[in-house]
Amino acid sequence: MQALWMLAAAFFFATMAVCVKFASEYFNSAELVFYRGLLGMFFMWVLARTRGVALATRYPAMHMWRSLVGVISLGSWFYAIAHLPLATAMTLNYMSSVWIATFLVGGALLMGLLPARGDGAVPGAKGVGALSSQGPLVLTVLAGFIGVIMMLRPTIEQNQAFAGLIGLMSGLLAAFAYMQVMALARVGEPETRTVFYFAVGSAVAGGLAMFVAGTSDWNWHHALWLIPLGVLASLGQLCMTRAYTQAKTRSATLVVANLQYSGIVFGAIYSLVLFGERLPLIGWAGMALIMASGIAATVLRARAAPGAPAEEH
């Protein structure tokens, strides 16, 4: 059942991205972030009351930082969805696991290059040793970024380089947001509360950004896209939480974590069927390489932090 819950979550997130792409024809990214946060805030408030989870927190600063990074990542992803093929935007956002692996490799290398006081080791020798000890992670990172180059090469040729960089940034910032979610989980914050405050941050930040970016002309027919956007995001989060809750063993947790990448498959199907978007063969190969490296990075991360919480989209 936990696998089915994760497949449902991936389906809901991919379908939400479809709503974002349609809605982006009538609303800017700031407006989409605002309405997604507003509807998500209401949904998570109802869920918290149903589960008896108090929303008061002793860590407002941690939630504020998580929301800030997460909102910028969300807005970047929405911008990428609006200006790139859906499959490309989905894949770049799912790069967060590869970025986390990059941080781990960089941290190990940095620690190796900083000898302890009184250590007579040759400068840089520990760094080489640290890098070699992280061999699987290094290969994972290299494979992921080779996949990015393969995917963005056709994108750049279509003069969409800026949108491609914004999509890549969304995955990078999602990795930072995920690390903050891990920190909140370590201090005992329930995921329902964390997601609620992220929704609050999205509504506040989106509302402030609307003063800068402006607002679109309101049309009730166009606004109908905003309702499934918020509802599907909340349903996806709920299904993901249920999937991880029901995964009682380490192997089950790994299966659930890796099934999140089915969202890329759903996104690719939507991209072909609904939007008629075509990627060259090298783009599809790059997408497959990013999926493989993301799955590998998830497995390696689970070994290092077996109690890590779910990623969010």
Side-chain angles (χ1 to χ4, degrees):
M1 281 302 298
Q2 60 264 26
L4 293 177
W5 281 117
M6 179 51 80
L7 286 174
F11 175 76
F12 285 137
F13 284 132
T15 309
M16 179 202 74
V18 171
C19 295
V20 170
K21 196 163 185 69
F22 279 118
S24 62
E25 297 181 12
Y26 315 110
F27 301 95
N28 59 46
S29 296
E31 292 173 298
L32 295 179
V33 169
F34 170 75
Y35 289 113
R36 193 252 196 219
L38 196 65
L39 292 169
M41 185 171 60
F42 173 75
F43 191 93
M44 296 311 297
W45 175 77
V46 172
L47 182 63
R49 286 185 62 87
T50 303
R51 293 181 171 180
V53 177
L55 294 177
T57 179
R58 295 181 296 168
Y59 310 98
M62 293 180 69
H63 282 287
M64 188 178 299
W65 173 244
R66 183 266 177 274
S67 294
L68 176 64
V69 178
V71 165
I72 298 174
S73 172
L74 184 66
S76 300
W77 186 35
F78 284 0
Y79 181 89
I81 290 174
H83 295 87
L84 292 173
L86 183 63
T88 302
M90 289 285 294
T91 306
L92 291 177
N93 184 256
Y94 275 82
M95 276 281 293
S96 55
S97 288
V98 178
W99 281 113
I100 293 172
T102 306
F103 301 154
L104 293 175
V105 171
L109 182 59
L110 182 61
M111 293 302 294
L113 291 174
L114 297 175
R117 215 174 267 180
D119 195 342
V122 177
K126 284 187 176 181
V128 175
L131 192 59
S132 61
S133 67
Q134 299 288 337
L137 273 177
V138 173
L139 293 176
T140 295
V141 170
L142 289 176
F145 284 106
I146 290 172
V148 168
I149 293 171
M150 293 169 68
M151 274 203 74
L152 291 188
R153 183 179 175 184
T155 298
I156 291 173
E157 291 173 354
Q158 296 170 16
N159 299 318
Q160 296 172 324
F162 181 73
L165 291 176
I166 293 296
L168 195 59
M169 186 178 73
S170 75
L172 171 62
L173 293 174
F176 279 113
Y178 175 73
M179 290 190 293
Q180 188 64 18
V181 170
M182 289 182 66
L184 285 165
R186 290 194 189 101
V187 298
E189 288 289 86
E191 188 169 279
T192 303
R193 187 184 300 159
T194 300
V195 177
F196 172 78
Y197 281 110
F198 172 56
V200 172
S202 299
V204 172
L208 293 174
M210 284 164 63
F211 284 103
V212 178
T215 58
S216 307
D217 294 331
W218 186 263
N219 183 299
W220 283 105
H221 294 289
H222 300 162
L224 291 176
W225 287 111
L226 301 174
I227 298 174
L229 190 156
V231 172
L232 289 168
S234 300
L235 287 175
Q237 193 62 52
L238 180 62
C239 290
M240 179 178 284
T241 303
R242 184 67 61 87
Y244 276 95
T245 302
Q246 293 191 0
K248 303 298 183 182
T249 65
R250 182 176 175 180
S251 59
T253 302
L254 277 177
V255 170
V256 166
N258 286 324
L259 279 175
Q260 68 177 311
Y261 290 96
S262 61
I264 297 178
V265 178
F266 289 130
I269 294 172
Y270 280 137
S271 187
L272 289 170
V273 175
L274 295 181
F275 303 105
E277 297 166 336
R278 297 290 185 266
L279 285 178
L281 185 59
I282 189 173
W284 290 110
M287 185 188 301
L289 192 56
I290 290 173
M291 285 182 63
S293 62
I295 291 172
T298 301
V299 172
L300 294 170
R301 187 186 69 216
R303 293 177 181 174
E311 293 184 49
E312 298 170 14
H313 298 282

